[in-house]
Amino acid sequence: HYAAGLSMLQGHAPGNVDNPATPLQFLSAILCGISGCGVGDLEQFRPLAYAITIVLRIAAAVIVARTIFRDLPMAWQIALLWLPWLAPDYSFISRQWCPETLYFPLGMLAIVALNRAFNDVNRWQLMLLAGAAIGVMIGVKFIFVAWAVAALLAVAISQRPPGAAKSNLALVGGLILGFVIATLPAVARYPRMFEWIVGLASKTGQYGSGPEGLLDPGKVSENLSEIVRHQTVWTSLVVGVLVALIIRRPRSSLTHFCILAILGSYALALKHFAPRYLAPTGLMLALAVVELVRGLDLKGMKWSGLVAVAVIGLLLGKSLAFDMGVHKAYVAERRDSEEVLTEFLAQQGRTSKSVILYGWRAYVPAFSARFMSHSEANQFRNEVDAAYPNEGVIVSWPEHLYYPDGKSTWDFIVVGYEFADHDGLSALRQHYQNWDVGRYIVIKNVDLTPSPAAQITRASP
């Protein structure tokens, strides 16, 4: 998405639109334009990007606190602002430069628009604005299609036909308008977006892979078990709020929307599960709780806010501590592995002129730069060649080897254990000397049949 922002600066449509994540890519373009960062400056880009993200989150929190949280006691406002961060993987993925970074700032603004629209469903202008807010979120990530379906169904359930048709027409118009505005820099890539959606809907595997079919019952059962076993606290909280909303009387359009949006998010996660796919439920649960306590005298029950802050604060503290520990271990393991790799390559005769092809996923600057350029149709190849004149990329063996300019042979191939071309890797390991080095497999280009003494396994410290 950083590289896609650089493409936008050069007047090109972004290469990666699978999420589609265009708002994040557009923000990348703006920040790169301001800072002058290029394809090799990702580490210099991060501090500015994260600072801007924090400012956007604070601004969104202030707006929400002064609108839909306005009548709630301060303790309840704090608790509800913390609530989305308890959703699975929400805090962890929000610290990366990925679409989820924008969930809180844009998602919170979306629930403000939705709250206003569903409290006055007869004003088509508000429904248009709510639809546009959802359309922008779909432009951030397609998983928010669940919100669009929920909004249309909620209106159909709550209103009589003439009014429902008018409101839903405004919603559809807003959805289209919001999505087009959010993805305007990627209009030329709409066919790819459509292809991606069709693949997700028509295939049972992850990312549009696997056999044809809407659902794989076995996979759905496995995903449900995963959610129940590993997302127990969050799912219990969601179920509790859902049950309370379902038995609540009278049930408003907003209540119907919250119920359907949460159920829709879980339904999508059951088809293709990863914890981050449940992250949008955090935003929706905050809105659902506001709807649930609407009309209650919370100011007369000060203890309730203190209890909410204490419970959510403790859960959030535990979640953040866990995420920070995972993050530190993640960074430390890769740093250690890089040190071992560098030392090992030197022992194997690497020189300043040795040509190395890195494969997915090697955590070295050369691979990052080559991969970003490759994802954007090699637009930045000259810059990358200048920065890394002896380091290229291997995508698959032997079909896709991307050499630095002027090079046509390799001395070493270094691939991580995530390398997707298993058959090609097996062929490489059979015909060349190879070693397990930390989390990498190193292949050396020499005309020797590996001897038992050459099979060295080197563990990461």
Side-chain angles (χ1 to χ4, degrees):
H1 302 306
Y2 172 73
L6 293 175
S7 286
M8 289 182 188
L9 276 181
Q10 296 189 0
H12 301 287
N16 188 330
V17 292
D18 292 348
N19 285 309
T22 318
L24 182 77
Q25 296 168 347
F26 186 62
L27 181 57
S28 296
I30 293 173
L31 297 181
C32 285
I34 293 172
S35 64
C37 288
V39 70
D41 301 321
L42 181 57
E43 294 307 314
Q44 290 73 25
F45 171 83
R46 290 182 193 275
L48 172 63
Y50 294 149
I52 294 298
T53 300
I54 291 170
V55 170
L56 292 175
R57 288 172 182 162
I58 292 172
V62 171
I63 291 171
V64 172
R66 300 187 69 172
T67 52
I68 61 175
F69 294 174
R70 180 181 55 196
D71 297 328
L72 300 176
M74 180 61 70
W76 271 98
Q77 293 186 30
I78 293 170
L80 290 177
L81 286 172
W82 285 349
L83 185 59
W85 300 89
L86 290 179
D89 270 3
Y90 195 95
S91 62
F92 185 70
I93 55 180
S94 294
R95 296 199 300 274
Q96 304 174 31
W97 196 243
C98 59
E100 289 82 359
T101 299
L102 297 180
Y103 277 13
F104 190 88
L106 295 185
M108 280 298 192
L109 296 181
I111 68 173
V112 170
L114 289 163
N115 178 72
R116 190 171 180 188
F118 280 104
N119 282 318
D120 191 356
V121 291
N122 294 317
R123 290 181 61 185
W124 68 268
Q125 297 94 333
L126 293 178
M127 298 305 290
L128 181 73
L129 181 61
I134 298 174
V136 169
M137 295 309 297
I138 295 173
V140 172
K141 200 148 189 176
F142 283 127
I143 199 169
F144 285 94
V145 166
W147 287 21
V149 175
L152 294 169
L153 289 176
V155 169
I157 293 170
S158 305
Q159 288 186 271
R160 294 180 178 180
K166 183 177 179 181
S167 294
N168 272 341
L169 187 62
L171 267 172
V172 171
L175 285 166
I176 295 172
L177 180 64
F179 181 79
V180 170
I181 291 174
T183 59
L184 199 56
V187 167
R189 301 279 285 151
Y190 276 7
R192 169 56 190 165
M193 291 186 198
F194 182 74
E195 178 187 341
W196 173 253
I197 294 174
V198 169
L200 291 176
S202 62
K203 301 289 183 67
T204 59
Q206 199 88 355
Y207 305 124
S209 62
E212 298 283 343
L214 182 62
L215 291 171
D216 179 346
K219 197 67 178 175
V220 170
S221 176
E222 181 183 324
N223 291 339
L224 180 60
S225 175
E226 181 79 10
I227 290 172
V228 171
R229 286 187 296 112
H230 297 292
Q231 311 299 330
T232 309
V233 174
W234 178 253
T235 300
S236 299
L237 184 60
V238 169
V239 169
V241 173
L242 278 178
V243 170
L245 284 175
I246 290 171
I247 64 178
R248 183 181 187 272
R249 291 289 189 274
R251 216 179 284 145
S252 66
S253 299
L254 187 58
T255 301
H256 287 126
F257 170 71
C258 290
I259 293 170
L260 292 167
I262 292 171
L263 290 176
S265 295
Y266 269 85
L268 290 178
L270 285 175
K271 179 177 172 67
H272 305 298
F273 179 69
R276 65 182 180 277
Y277 296 159
L278 294 177
T281 60
L283 298 163
M284 196 45 53
L285 205 65
L287 181 58
V289 172
V290 172
E291 177 66 4
L292 193 59
V293 302
R294 198 184 300 274
L296 297 179
D297 182 19
L298 294 178
K299 292 182 179 179
M301 299 185 293
K302 292 183 178 180
W303 58 268
S304 65
L306 297 177
V307 170
V309 167
V311 172
I312 293 177
L314 286 172
L315 291 174
L316 182 59
K318 179 181 178 182
S319 175
L320 290 176
F322 176 79
D323 287 346
M324 293 290 282
V326 170
H327 178 72
K328 288 180 179 179
Y330 180 90
V331 173
E333 189 272 338
R334 276 151 183 76
R335 283 180 175 164
D336 289 343
S337 196
E338 293 310 319
E339 291 176 3
V340 173
L341 176 64
T342 301
E343 178 187 342
F344 181 76
L345 289 174
Q347 292 172 353
Q348 289 299 312
R350 177 189 182 181
T351 69
S352 60
K353 295 183 179 180
S354 297
V355 176
I356 302 180
L357 302 184
Y358 290 104
W360 187 271
R361 172 185 298 228
Y363 288 87
V364 295
F367 172 78
S368 298
R370 290 281 178 195
F371 180 79
M372 285 192 290
S373 180
H374 179 61
S375 70
E376 298 300 314
N378 289 315
Q379 291 178 47
F380 313 106
R381 180 159 188 167
N382 290 339
E383 297 173 53
V384 178
D385 278 338
Y388 306 102
N390 295 305
E391 294 163 294
V393 172
I394 169 176
V395 177
S396 64
W397 174 269
E399 294 85 3
H400 298 102
L401 307 181
Y402 296 90
Y403 290 98
D405 185 40
K407 306 296 190 300
S408 58
T409 59
W410 55 274
D411 296 298
F412 297 95
I413 285 177
V414 177
V415 297
Y417 285 114
E418 303 94 334
F419 189 63
D421 184 15
H422 299 294
D423 292 337
L425 180 58
S426 177
L428 272 170
R429 300 187 77 166
Q430 183 176 354
H431 292 99
Y432 295 93
Q433 283 189 336
N434 60 91
W435 298 268
D436 293 337
V437 181
R439 59 182 305 278
Y440 297 111
I441 297 169
V442 177
I443 315 291
K444 188 174 182 180
N445 191 359
V446 291
D447 296 325
L448 293 173
T449 302
S451 63
Q455 305 305 302
I456 302 171
T457 299
R458 187 183 181 95
S460 177

